[in-house]
Amino acid sequence: MKYVGEGYWLRQLETLSRERRQTLLERSAKELAEFFSVYEGKLLGTAAWRRMTGKSESQHEPYTFIPTDEEINDKRLRMQYCCASDKYTRGSKMEAFLGGWKSGAATVKSVFRKCEYDWRIVCDYLQRWRGLKEADLTTLRKGNAYLARLQGSPSGLVTWQMDFTASGLVIDTVTIVTESITTENGQVDWKLEGGEDIVQDLALNSDQVSITTSSLSGCKSLKLTASLSGGNGNAAWQHAQLFSQPIDSEDDCSLDVTVTLKDSVS
């Protein structure tokens, strides 16, 4: 088989109209992106592959948010998470204090962070090795970061927990602002719990991204749970996405939880 060099490929592209050239570039990029996605899937390992080989998910160290002295004085704890930067921030200045989405979670089950670097890798390849110009690749530079359940897992779950017991304060109100995307019949279900007796299902979805509730008023702790399920076919895991946002939007948060506190009534 005769090898066709890069120069020949570029010369052939130059003979095509801009529209046709863009179509071929996008097709090539998608094929390469699919290749990288398959490689990532094999590297990560599906649930079936882990069961077959006897490999389990990595151990998770549970984390619980405890109010600082500043937050106790302000009677307010605010926590944010940005999926693009994969960092948590908190405090009056919203400074980064935890790196990695798992580091701030109390419970993690069959969930991972998907970062669509595929397009960036493809664009770098086309620009470096195919000699294409920046202008030709502008429309291909895209991609999101989000949390999803592991491929092959019927469901996934993430929980965040806060405990105010030692502060002498109790919860007054809870405000949650977040982003989720569902397609096909994918589902993202939210639940808020206070103590052992109070459970509230939250109507958070693509149409309603924020909610304020006083249902946990008087409670000394809270647990916020997001459950991922549903979807169709081999890509079912992608049909329920949590915190989806553009990779380059590192100044925007995709989860914002604010808890106002009050004195405990004996």
Side-chain angles (χ1 to χ4, degrees), residues 104-172:
T107 306
V108 175
K109 182 179 179 182
S110 300
V111 172
F112 78 111
R113 176 174 175 265
K114 169 67 174 175
C115 197
E116 293 177 338
Y117 282 118
D118 301 343
W119 290 104
R120 289 187 175 184
I121 295 173
V122 169
C123 288
D124 289 344
Y125 169 80
L126 291 174
Q127 192 170 4
R128 181 175 181 181
W129 299 107
R130 295 286 190 172
L132 298 179
K133 299 177 182 178
E134 182 77 18
D136 291 323
L137 302 174
T138 301
T139 60
L140 298 181
R141 294 188 181 278
K142 53 187 176 182
N144 285 353
Y146 55 88
L147 301 188
R149 70 182 189 269
L150 291 171
Q151 185 177 3
S153 297
S155 62
L157 178 147
V158 187
T159 296
W160 296 267
Q161 190 164 298
M162 297 182 179
D163 190 344
F164 307 101
T165 304
S167 70
L169 302 174
V170 294
I171 296 171
D172 186 11

Side-chain angles (χ1 to χ4, degrees), residues 79-124:
M79 172 273 286
Q80 292 182 337
Y81 169 72
C82 172
C83 199
S85 64
D86 199 24
K87 293 179 181 178
Y88 288 89
T89 57
R90 70 186 287 184
S92 58
K93 297 181 180 179
M94 298 311 295
E95 296 175 334
F97 79 106
L98 286 176
W101 68 275
K102 283 186 178 181
S103 64
T107 306
V108 175
K109 182 179 179 182
S110 300
V111 172
F112 78 111
R113 176 174 175 265
K114 169 67 174 175
C115 197
E116 293 177 338
Y117 282 118
D118 301 343
W119 290 104
R120 289 187 175 184
I121 295 173
V122 169
C123 288
D124 289 344

Side-chain angles (χ1 to χ4, degrees), residues 48-96:
W49 179 83
R50 291 194 307 276
R51 287 193 296 269
M52 182 178 67
T53 57
K55 295 183 180 293
S56 59
E57 294 181 43
S58 59
Q59 293 296 314
H60 170 65
E61 187 70 29
Y63 184 85
T64 299
F65 287 86
I66 305 294
T68 63
D69 290 340
E70 178 189 30
E71 290 164 341
I72 292 174
N73 291 332
D74 292 342
K75 293 185 177 180
R76 181 174 181 266
L77 190 160
R78 186 181 186 188
M79 172 273 286
Q80 292 182 337
Y81 169 72
C82 172
C83 199
S85 64
D86 199 24
K87 293 179 181 178
Y88 288 89
T89 57
R90 70 186 287 184
S92 58
K93 297 181 180 179
M94 298 311 295
E95 296 175 334

Side-chain angles (χ1 to χ4, degrees), residues 191-200 215-219 223:
K191 181 172 63 176
L192 188 62
E193 300 174 73
E196 299 179 356
D197 303 323
I198 300 176
V199 179
Q200 180 183 2
S215 64
L216 270 61
S217 179
C219 293
K223 185 163 65 173

